[in-house]
Amino acid sequence: IATGLMEKLPALKASVWTDVSSIYDADPAAKDPAEIILCYPSVKAMLHYRLAHHLYLLGLPLVPRMITEMAHSETGIDIHPGAEIGDYFGIDHGTGVVIGETAVVGNHVRIYQGVTLGAKSFRYDEKGKAISGPRHPIIEDNVTIYSNSSILGRITIGHDSIIGGKLWQSESLPPYSRVIQGKSIATHFTDG
């Protein structure tokens, strides 16, 4: 496992740098990358997550959860190490963000404080124990999700979509969707 992690360190560094770049490019308050690395809680949470995710994929039990829970207790950002998060992932502010174990997040996704990528319901076995399986959303590339929105269940939010703040989304959306105050706005565009 240690050797496997050492082999992943260059990729880990590259991914974290894309997260820093995402914040720097989108936040006018960010004056330079050093400020982002040293002061932004989302970078701490993503560094912990990305390290824990590599360990999770290598099959190490418990330690990945301990690593992400350390970041959770310090930043208020709760990311399960099993979640799959692409490059250029930006979390603005971050307090109250929850990303579940089976969530899949594409590249160039930006979320704001209080966003939940969570499960809507669980299936149970004959003994009443919750059954693991895909239960969190898939967020495609170039999606923005504004503060205090909950995206729940194994649904897909299509690429280049915008989800407004303070809403509950439990149905899939096609690419280029815009949802504000829970109402879909018909502004679907085609590629090209």
Side-chain angles (χ1 to χ4, degrees):
I1 290 174
T3 300
L5 180 61
M6 296 299 282
E7 291 170 357
K8 298 286 185 185
L9 287 178
L12 173 71
K13 178 183 175 187
S15 289
V16 171
W17 186 249
T18 70
D19 300 333
V20 171
S21 297
S22 173
I23 294 166
Y24 184 71
D25 293 343
D27 186 350
K31 302 305 179 205
D32 79 26
E35 174 190 10
I36 295 166
I37 292 165
L38 296 170
C39 301
Y40 280 54
S42 61
V43 173
K44 177 178 273 193
M46 287 306 295
L47 176 60
H48 281 74
Y49 156 76
R50 293 206 186 274
L51 173 65
H53 183 68
H54 284 300
L55 292 170
Y56 181 90
L57 293 177
L58 291 169
L60 187 65
L62 189 57
V63 172
R65 283 301 300 270
M66 292 169 63
I67 291 169
T68 57
E69 285 305 318
M70 286 173 23
H72 179 203
S73 68
E74 293 180 26
T75 66
I77 300 169
D78 183 4
I79 306 173
H80 193 285
E84 296 176 30
I85 300 176
D87 288 333
Y88 295 95
F89 182 65
I91 303 174
D92 198 332
H93 298 289
T95 304
V97 165
V98 176
I99 301 175
E101 176 186 22
T102 63
V104 178
V105 179
N107 297 313
H108 299 279
V109 171
R110 184 166 191 79
I111 65 175
Y112 288 78
Q113 67 274 8
V115 166
T116 297
L117 303 180
K120 183 177 176 186
S121 61
F122 301 97
R123 294 181 309 141
Y124 297 91
D125 66 15
E126 63 281 350
K127 295 180 182 177
K129 180 169 175 22
I131 298 171
S132 185
R135 60 195 180 280
H136 300 98
I138 298 168
I139 310 298
E140 293 183 347
D141 296 345
N142 304 308
V143 171
T144 300
I145 305 171
Y146 285 99
S147 61
N148 300 310
S149 288
S150 295
I151 314 301
L152 302 175
R154 190 55 163 198
I155 63 171
T156 299
I157 304 300
H159 64 82
D160 297 285
S161 291
I162 296 175
I163 307 297
K166 295 183 181 180
L167 62 87
W168 175 294
Q169 185 68 37
S170 60
E171 295 179 7
S172 290
L173 294 170
Y176 301 102
S177 293
R178 305 291 182 263
V179 179
I180 300 171
Q181 297 294 322
K183 296 182 181 186
S184 182
I185 298 173
T187 56
H188 304 289
F189 302 98
T190 59
D191 289 334

